[in-house]
């Protein structure tokens, strides 16, 4: 699966000090390394092992993933916003690929 | 040869460490003891207290491939009252650890939702580590109709 497509939902605007909810989803098989193919050979593990969320460069939330996280890993979490800026989302793949997405928010 | 209690314990610990080292054999399942050991290992032997952290899981999961779970920790997320991380364990999966959420003061609230795989009916455990060093735990049983290990 070469094209892991991230999808992120962040409110477009908020009031200063609000706690907003962020939802993220990325299409990825999360091959656990436990499965076997038709010939009985184990299929090598390939998962997203880390997810991070930053706001204007400061860490907000991150997660270490194990193979027990479902395919197309989904996260819902909170963030406190005091100023306008951009959220940066990063997913790290076992094979070294890095998937990123950015969303900006207006805070009044 | 007579063994002292201390020697027996040391041997037991060594054997356990060896078991973890070779524990990557497929089909080997984690046990509640493994989970206890990894919790003790991860949190430096601090005994987890109940309360503060709430784990929300379905009682019955029809499909073990995607079981929605959410955790929330009762915390102001300011100053000393801060949640550092929440780790999710399952005691009947091939490996006990599922995911670790790391929070910061910018998280605003220590809650997170995701979807996990469960191989069979088992306990899901959430362990929260606070910035002041205390550790809280919540555990729920999930009945799984179809396991999520594929193959």
């Amino acid at each position: 699966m070469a094209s892991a497509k991230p999808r992120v939902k962040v409110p477009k605007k908020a009031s200063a000090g609000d706690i907003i909810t962020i939802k993220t989803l990325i299409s990825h098989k999360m091959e656990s390394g436990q499965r076997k193919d038709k010939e009985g050979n184990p299929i090598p593990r390939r998962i997203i092992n880390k997810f991070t969320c930053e706001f204007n460069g400061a860490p907000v939330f991150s997660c270490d993933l194990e193979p027990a996280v479902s395919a197309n890993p989904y996260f819902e979490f909170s963030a406190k916003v005091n100023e306008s800026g951009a959220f940066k989302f990063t997913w790290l793949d076992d094979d070294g690929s890095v998937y990123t997405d950015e969303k900006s928010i207006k805070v009044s | 040869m007579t063994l002292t209690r201390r020697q027996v314990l040391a041997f037991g610990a060594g054997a356990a460490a060896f078991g973890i080292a070779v524990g990557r054999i497929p089909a080997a399942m984690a046990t509640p003891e493994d989970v206890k050991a990894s919790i003790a290992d991860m949190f430096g032997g601090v005994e987890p207290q109940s309360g503060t952290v709430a784990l929300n899981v379905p009682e019955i999961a029809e499909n073990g491939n995607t079981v929605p779970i959410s955790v929330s920790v009762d915390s102001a997320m300011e100053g000393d009252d801060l949640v550092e991380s929440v780790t999710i364990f399952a005691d009947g999966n091939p490996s006990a650890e599922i995911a670790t959420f790391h929070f910061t003061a910018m998280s605003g609230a220590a809650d997170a939702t995701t979807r996990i795989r469960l191989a069979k009916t088992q306990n899901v455990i959430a362990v929260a580590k606070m910035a002041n060093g205390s550790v809280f735990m919540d555990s729920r049983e999930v009945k799984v109709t179809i396991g999520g290990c594929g193959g």
Side-chain angles (χ1 to χ4, degrees):
Chain A
M1 249 202 8
S3 58
K5 196 172 151 246
R7 276 190 290 163
V8 178
K9 215 170 187 179
V10 176
K12 287 205 171 60
K13 47 189 172 181
S15 310
D18 272 5
I19 293 172
I20 59 164
T21 302
I22 297 176
K23 294 175 182 178
T24 71
L25 184 75
I26 186 163
S27 53
H28 195 285
K29 254 193 179 149
M30 295 289 284
E31 192 57 66
S32 70
Q34 300 282 339
R35 299 199 307 156
K36 293 192 170 81
D37 63 14
K38 271 183 205 141
E39 284 78 44
N41 306 313
I43 304 171
R45 172 185 135 152
R46 191 186 153 195
I47 64 166
I48 287 178
N49 54 50
K50 193 158 178 70
F51 164 74
T52 62
C53 169
E54 292 176 351
F55 182 64
N56 292 346
V60 174
F61 174 85
S62 67
C63 181
D64 302 323
L65 289 77
E66 302 289 330
V69 176
S70 299
N72 305 332
Y74 166 84
F75 292 110
E76 190 180 320
F77 55 93
S78 306
K80 194 173 180 181
V81 285
N82 294 317
E83 51 181 357
S84 299
F87 283 101
K88 190 179 177 202
F89 305 92
T90 312
W91 292 261
L92 302 180
D93 195 315
D94 266 353
D95 72 355
S97 314
V98 178
Y99 315 108
T100 58
D101 199 0
E102 271 194 45
K103 284 274 185 285
S104 55
I105 183 167
K106 261 202 182 113
V107 173
S108 49
Chain B
M1 188 175 104
T2 48
L3 285 171
T4 62
R5 183 173 173 273
R6 183 166 296 190
Q7 281 170 326
V8 171
L9 285 175
F11 178 74
F18 179 73
I20 290 164
V22 297
R24 292 288 171 195
I25 309 160
M29 288 294 182
T31 62
E33 286 73 38
D34 289 348
V35 173
K36 261 192 203 145
S38 43
I39 289 173
D41 200 37
M42 203 177 272
F43 301 99
V46 181
E47 190 63 36
Q49 308 160 45
S50 60
T52 309
V53 56
L55 179 66
N56 192 0
V57 292
E59 234 168 84
I60 297 171
E62 272 184 22
N63 183 354
N65 260 317
T66 49
V67 183
I69 63 155
S70 65
V71 283
S72 62
V73 187
D74 187 11
S75 160
M77 292 307 277
E78 275 172 344
D80 283 345
D81 188 10
L82 196 72
V83 183
E84 265 182 18
S85 66
V86 176
T87 307
I88 312 290
F89 297 94
D91 62 12
N93 263 5
S95 67
E97 238 181 283
I98 295 180
T100 305
F101 304 117
H102 301 275
F103 300 99
T104 67
M106 286 186 61
S107 303
D111 49 28
T113 301
T114 189
R115 295 171 189 151
I116 64 169
R117 290 173 174 146
L118 294 176
K120 57 174 185 185
T121 299
Q122 59 185 293
N123 293 308
V124 177
I125 299 144
V127 185
K129 186 175 182 234
M130 315 295 276
N132 63 15
S134 52
V135 177
F136 295 95
M137 178 170 121
D138 192 13
S139 167
R140 291 263 185 277
E141 195 196 31
V142 182
K143 291 194 166 65
V144 178
T145 319
I146 305 167
C149 263

